[in-house]
Amino acid sequence: MYEPIRTKSVHSTVARPSADFPHRSREEELDIQLAGHLAALLAVTDELRALEPSAELDVAAERLAGQLTRLRGGASPIRTTAAASSTSRLDALHQRAHALAGRALVVAASRADTAAAILSAERMDAHAVTAVV
């Protein structure tokens, strides 16, 4: 009643990996994601340092840069500076830093990176004081 299929289905999966696109392991993907969150957190931290200089933010920025260098295989992150701004901008930056630190914490925990998880949790606590989430 039915005629057998004579051609291969375009929907079938291939048993061998294709060279058409790069393949990364889950750990590599998590490293990339964690580095992205930490880089964004470093950029916000550098902005905060420009607006309200403090020794705590200086230490945090250096620790974040160290983690990024480690995750990127020795490549140091690009640093930025920002101009002075209003108090409402400071509050928004603290909120953004708190959210970024939370995202970094989730990724660090899922990849079992204790150093990055501790640093992210510390940054969350530091920004939670001023961030209204």
Side-chain angles (χ1 to χ4, degrees), residues 54-122:
S54 76
E56 179 193 359
L57 287 173
D58 293 341
V59 170
E62 290 308 312
R63 289 180 63 201
L64 287 167
Q67 287 295 318
L68 276 169
T69 301
R70 178 183 62 86
L71 287 169
R72 292 180 175 169
S76 58
I78 297 172
R79 306 290 294 271
T80 60
T81 57
S85 186
S86 67
T87 305
S88 64
R89 175 85 176 129
L90 282 174
D91 293 341
L93 285 173
H94 280 292
Q95 289 176 352
R96 176 89 175 125
H98 185 267
L100 286 166
R103 290 182 188 125
L105 177 60
V106 169
V107 176
S110 69
R111 70 180 291 277
D113 187 337
T114 306
I118 291 171
L119 177 59
S120 299
E122 288 173 358

Side-chain angles (χ1 to χ4, degrees), residues 3-20:
E3 186 175 333
I5 298 173
R6 295 184 182 155
T7 61
K8 288 192 174 201
S9 171
V10 294
H11 302 290
S12 65
T13 59
V14 179
R16 59 182 168 76
S18 172
D20 294 345

Side-chain angles (χ1 to χ4, degrees), residues 17-33:
S18 172
D20 294 345
F21 58 94
H23 296 279
R24 293 188 197 108
S25 68
R26 181 175 187 275
E27 291 78 21
E28 289 170 325
E29 289 294 336
L30 289 173
D31 282 347
I32 291 167
Q33 191 176 13

